[in-house]
Amino acid sequence: MKIEQTLILVKPDGVSRRLVGEIISRIEAKGYVIADLKMMQADRALLERHYAEHQGKPFFEPLVEFMLSGPIVAIIAEGQRVIEGFRSLAGATDPTVAAPGTIRGDLARDQGTKVQQNLVHGSDSPESAAREIAIFFEGK
Ligand code: DAT
Ligand code: MG
């Protein structure tokens, strides 16, 4: 059986706050393998594909603008149940209530912006992971 993979993004707030190493450390310390990684500047077309499920929501445009605001780091992490495991490491979407001990709970807070700036993205299902990995790492 192929080992499960997930798509993780360190968002622009994570890069600008110099938290890339801290976030990767937490992924590796949990025991997952970094299978591929790149720093990139996303463009609007890529982000609109990636966040297609959120089209039409009030935070969609702020979300795209935020993700365009600086470089991001795209990571493929792998390991048994890594999709669920990374979501658990990341914590709840809203960083104010994300549990202490999680990436969002320990390292992020509400900034009063229209979109939550919560440091990381992680795929939420095997279908999303396959779709998102294909968007960020063509041919993988
Ligand atoms: P997650 O990143 O936890 O999977 P999501 O897919 O529902 O969350 O939303 C994508 C991002 O959009 C999320 O990381 C932060 C932002 N967001 C989601 N819901 C929001 C809301 N109600 N208000 C502001 N920003 C929101
Ligand atoms: Mg999501």
Side-chain angles (χ1 to χ4, degrees), residues 1 3 10-11 27-28 33 37 41 47 51 61 63 68 71 79 86-87 97-98 108 111-112 118 127 129 136-137:
M1 199 185 119
I3 295 176
V10 181
K11 297 181 180 185
I27 298 165
E28 289 193 323
V33 171
L37 171 153
Q41 173 64 56
L47 293 169
Y51 282 123
E61 185 57 29
L63 176 60
L68 284 170
F86 180 74
R87 298 276 296 183
V97 300
Q111 300 287 342
N118 56 13
E127 296 72 30
F136 283 88
F137 293 88

Side-chain angles (χ1 to χ4, degrees), residues 38 46-47 49-50 130-138:
K38 64 179 170 187
L46 181 99
L47 293 169
R49 270 177 78 200
H50 174 64
R131 190 181 75 82
E132 294 170 0
I133 287 169
I135 291 171
F136 283 88
F137 293 88
E138 275 174 79

Side-chain angles (χ1 to χ4, degrees), residues 17-69:
R17 291 182 53 212
R18 313 290 193 262
L19 290 171
V20 175
E22 167 78 27
I23 290 165
I24 291 173
S25 285
R26 289 177 180 226
I27 298 165
E28 289 193 323
K30 179 77 173 174
Y32 299 126
V33 171
I34 305 298
D36 206 344
L37 171 153
K38 64 179 170 187
M39 178 170 272
M40 61 187 290
Q41 173 64 56
D43 64 25
R44 177 172 287 273
L46 181 99
L47 293 169
E48 288 186 349
R49 270 177 78 200
H50 174 64
Y51 282 123
E53 66 172 309
H54 297 305
Q55 288 258 13
K57 295 181 187 171
F59 61 84
F60 179 74
E61 185 57 29
L63 176 60
V64 171
E65 290 291 331
F66 166 56
M67 293 297 289
L68 284 170
S69 69

